[in-house]
Amino acid sequence: MKNIGIGILFSILWSSASVATKFGVQSAAPLILANVRFFIAGILLLTFSYLFAKDQSYRLPTKKEWRHLALFGFLNTTLYLGLYVYAMKYTAAGIGSLAVSTNPLIIVLLSSWWLNRKPKAEEWAGIFLGMGGVAVATYPLLADSYTTIGGITLLLISMIAVSGASVYYATVKWELPNLLINGWQVFLGGVFLLPATLVLADFSTSKWDPVFWGSVLWLSLAVSIAGLICWFYLLRIDTVKASLWLFLCPLFGFFFAWWLMGEPVTIYTVFGTLLVVAGLYAGQRTKFTGEKTA
């Protein structure tokens, strides 16, 4: 029951990010929201790690580890989350949550190129089902101006960036604890994004109101810290079963978008979500059946 509760909590926290971001960009420029979030989450994670952790593995990174952390942070935080936050200004919150759920499918494609691994037939089926589901769910929102082509384009680029980060993460033999890896990559990602924020963001129209700070604190504490702690816990228990909780993210995402943002839920939404869930299952079916026969 404890593992189920943590799995549901992870799905709720992870899927809430798009709605929280959508609220935040109503008060401030997307890059400002992103940068403040990154610095708060990174500083809190690093402070906790170095002040309260007793393990000797909680140390400063080596020169080689700095290079790994810098590249990982650039892909996973600067590019992915920077573009994602910007895209959410022009994209419906539900679509943002649905797109995030396709990450495992994009990872299949990137890993096949990066690691020279040929995708299986069911993985190709999962990719087509997942992308088709996003397209179906997006269609009526384009007509109603909840979403724009530009927003979807930025969203897709951000999904490629985070999938690339995941593949790169898997190729590195990390010796640092997960909390330190996450803390440093988020903080470094914020440092890399800062020049673009200072040059491109419009500070004059930003409102440092309760909506902005509520969004920043939720994204920093609930999503970047609590959500990732839940995810790492689930991965330690069972990597295959942990991925099952990603299936709930589109459902919670559209529920939050409807409940908090008033976004419409149509037959396109339902059918598109079902296609993405079917694609996730098809794309990871080998993992599930492999565990059952082990």
Side-chain angles (χ1 to χ4, degrees):
M1 289 300 295
K2 176 184 177 182
N3 294 344
I4 292 175
I6 292 176
I8 293 174
L9 178 61
F10 162 76
S11 300
I12 291 173
L13 294 176
W14 211 243
S15 59
S16 70
S18 57
V19 172
T21 302
K22 196 73 175 174
F23 275 114
V25 296
Q26 293 176 1
S27 295
L31 293 181
I32 295 175
L33 175 70
N35 245 141
V36 174
R37 170 195 177 181
F38 299 158
F39 283 136
I40 289 178
I43 291 170
L44 287 177
L45 282 168
L46 293 172
T47 301
F48 176 82
S49 297
Y50 286 120
L51 287 184
F52 299 104
K54 306 298 182 182
D55 194 325
Q56 291 184 349
S57 61
Y58 285 84
R59 54 173 172 75
L60 287 175
T62 63
K63 184 178 180 180
K64 184 178 180 181
E65 288 170 336
W66 280 122
R67 291 198 297 268
H68 290 316
L69 288 166
L71 182 53
F72 183 50
F74 179 74
L75 291 172
N76 195 68
T77 297
T78 309
L79 276 185
Y80 162 48
L81 289 175
L83 289 173
Y84 179 83
V85 171
Y86 208 93
M88 291 314 299
K89 189 173 181 66
Y90 309 100
T91 308
I95 297 300
S97 179
L98 191 64
V100 169
S101 302
T102 65
N103 283 347
L105 306 177
I106 302 176
I107 288 172
V108 170
L109 274 182
L110 289 181
S111 62
S112 67
W113 166 70
W114 198 323
L115 305 177
N116 294 318
R117 188 187 69 85
K118 185 179 180 180
K120 297 179 175 63
E122 56 265 32
E123 291 174 333
W124 280 115
I127 291 166
F128 285 117
L129 284 171
M131 296 306 160
V134 173
V136 169
T138 302
Y139 173 72
L141 297 174
L142 289 171
D144 295 336
S145 299
Y146 279 93
T147 298
T148 66
I149 294 295
I152 287 294
T153 302
L154 289 175
L155 194 59
L156 290 176
I157 296 173
S158 75
M159 294 303 105
I160 294 172
V162 70
S163 299
S166 299
V167 176
Y168 176 73
Y169 180 87
T171 64
V172 176
K173 187 178 180 181
W174 298 96
E175 296 181 359
L176 291 170
N178 286 332
L179 280 179
L180 273 187
I181 294 171
N182 193 44
W184 278 119
Q185 69 90 10
V186 171
F187 182 80
L188 290 173
V191 172
F192 298 146
L193 184 65
L194 187 58
T197 301
L198 294 175
V199 172
L200 300 176
D202 187 355
F203 286 82
S204 64
T205 59
S206 297
K207 297 176 290 185
W208 307 87
D209 55 14
V211 173
F212 171 80
W213 286 112
S215 172
V216 165
L217 291 176
W218 182 265
L219 290 168
S220 302
L221 303 179
V223 180
S224 292
I225 296 179
L228 281 174
I229 289 174
C230 290
W231 179 242
F232 288 139
Y233 172 85
L234 295 168
L235 288 176
R236 284 198 304 269
I237 299 300
D238 191 311
T239 303
V240 175
K241 290 182 179 178
S243 62
L244 288 169
W245 296 109
L246 292 171
F247 288 27
L248 290 180
C249 290
L251 306 180
F252 283 122
F254 274 111
F255 171 75
F256 290 140
W258 166 77
W259 179 36
L260 298 173
M261 304 295 300
E263 292 182 5
V265 175
T266 65
I267 189 63
Y268 291 94
T269 307
V270 175
F271 186 57
T273 302
L274 290 176
L275 283 177
V276 170
V277 171
L280 282 170
Y281 176 77
Q284 303 192 66
R285 183 173 177 273
T286 304
K287 291 183 181 179
F288 306 142
T289 55
E291 178 174 278
K292 290 175 184 176
T293 56

